[in-house]
Amino acid sequence: MTLVDYDTEQYRDYARGRALSAEQLRVWVDAFVAVLPGRRPLTGLDVGSGTGRFTPALAEALGPVTGVEPSARMREVAATQGHRPGVRYLAGAAENLPVPDASADYALLFLSWHHVGDKARAVRELSRVVRPGGRLLLRANFRDHHPRPWWLGYFPHGYEVDASLFQPLHEVIAMFTAAGWRVASFDMVTEPSPGTREDMLERLRLRTFSFFARLSPDEQDEGLRRIEQAVAAEPGAPSPPFAEPLLTFERSPR
Ligand SMILES: C[S@@+](CC[C@H](N)C(=O)[O-])C[C@H]1O[C@@H](n2cnc3c(N)ncnc32)[C@H](O)[C@@H]1O
């Protein structure tokens, strides 16, 4: 079952609902750089590149990047950024990567792995396109290592519903190690605060987080109402940062 159809939902609001500040983007790019080899350029794949939140920054920091994205609407939004040196966007998916064998030094999947329907096929494709010795950066959540953003618990069963969208960590590790990858690192990256809790509420109202698809309209409204009350009780309070997992694999050098 498709978790979210980005061609009909979310594409309009995703860039706004999930916008990153310059500081947040810098923290993520630094985290990627820290788990990648030091030579430049590196040829990258941004798999499930969406509206291109990361693709141009990856190209600037590391070298040419291909964003691969199944949703035509999300690719259209990414294209509104105009020409960015070293960036191209192609139609495709993790299960069907439109690039040659061993052509990438790394692949980033930023919150796209849980959308991948045929994970076994995606593992085969990633193993095909990433060079021996290359890296796979999986910014994913895991059922048993799930971040706890301050707002999630306000939704009825929010934490359980959100965690259920993701595989347990050991399952993901088993899938990739069976295909010849090894775990290079498992880090928690603390993304800087997006602003006040009120700012975060404004973003949540756009409902661009996957777990909304698993809540009833009443549960969504109930959660937003509770957050409104919490925000009103402490106007101007900052939205606390929270730590998010980044799992890095290395493809066995042949
Ligand atoms: C939460 S968004 C993340 C987008 C981008 N990586 C970011 O962080 O802004 C998930 C993206 O995964 C894409 N997606 C869905 N199924 C996919 C698949 N099988 N392979 C690759 N990407 C997929 C969606 O179309 C969507 O753009």
Side-chain angles (χ1 to χ4, degrees):
M1 191 185 75
T2 305
L3 179 56
V4 177
D5 180 353
Y6 283 87
D7 271 332
T8 54
E9 305 160 51
Q10 301 216 355
Y11 70 92
R12 275 197 201 87
D13 292 324
Y14 188 89
R16 201 152 52 98
R18 305 294 284 272
L20 293 169
S21 67
E23 196 194 352
Q24 288 175 319
L25 190 57
R26 185 186 52 73
V27 164
W28 281 114
V29 172
D30 286 353
F32 305 149
V33 166
V35 295
L36 286 169
R39 68 174 190 282
R40 300 287 180 268
L42 294 177
T43 301
L45 278 180
D46 184 5
V47 180
S49 46
T51 56
R53 274 200 312 170
F54 292 98
T55 329
L58 293 171
E60 226 169 86
L62 300 164
V65 188
T66 301
V68 176
E69 167 56 47
S71 158
R73 290 281 166 82
M74 293 291 268
R75 288 198 311 278
E76 274 167 29
V77 177
T80 62
Q81 295 174 345
H83 172 73
R84 306 293 290 261
V87 174
R88 65 174 179 165
Y89 295 104
L90 298 179
E95 300 95 323
N96 185 16
L97 293 167
V99 295
D101 296 2
S103 58
D105 294 305
Y106 73 91
L108 169 70
L109 279 86
F110 200 104
L111 291 178
S112 51
W113 182 247
H114 61 298
H115 291 284
V116 173
D118 188 343
K119 289 190 166 52
R121 187 164 161 198
V123 171
R124 284 200 298 279
E125 269 297 81
L126 289 161
S127 306
R128 178 182 70 77
V129 303
V130 175
R131 292 195 175 102
R135 302 284 156 93
L136 172 67
L137 280 54
L138 212 56
R139 163 60 201 107
N141 295 334
F142 304 97
R143 198 170 295 168
D144 48 349
H145 289 75
H146 199 66
R148 288 186 178 264
W150 64 271
W151 41 265
L152 193 52
Y154 287 100
F155 291 92
H157 322 293
Y159 184 78
E160 294 76 9
V161 169
D162 200 42
S164 73
L165 302 178
F166 300 94
Q167 291 174 290
L169 179 62
H170 68 86
E171 208 172 288
V172 180
I173 290 177
M175 290 190 85
F176 282 97
T177 51
W181 298 76
R182 74 167 186 91
V183 175
S185 59
F186 180 66
D187 301 298
M188 297 299 289
V189 179
T190 301
E191 185 180 284
S193 166
T196 63
R197 296 203 300 178
E198 199 164 359
D199 296 332
M200 193 61 218
L201 171 60
E202 282 310 307
R203 286 163 178 251
L204 287 167
R205 285 199 178 105
L206 297 172
R207 302 173 203 230
T208 59
F209 290 82
S210 303
F211 80 102
F212 277 105
R214 293 284 165 89
L215 297 180
S216 69
D218 282 351
E219 288 170 331
Q220 297 180 19
D221 293 344
E222 175 64 24
L224 290 170
R225 240 189 334 268
R226 289 180 191 167
I227 296 173
E228 276 161 23
Q229 285 165 2
V231 165
E234 261 187 288
S239 183
F242 58 94
E244 305 173 46
L246 176 64
L247 174 62
T248 305
F249 290 99
E250 184 185 314
R251 177 131 157 58
S252 61
R254 244 192 272 121

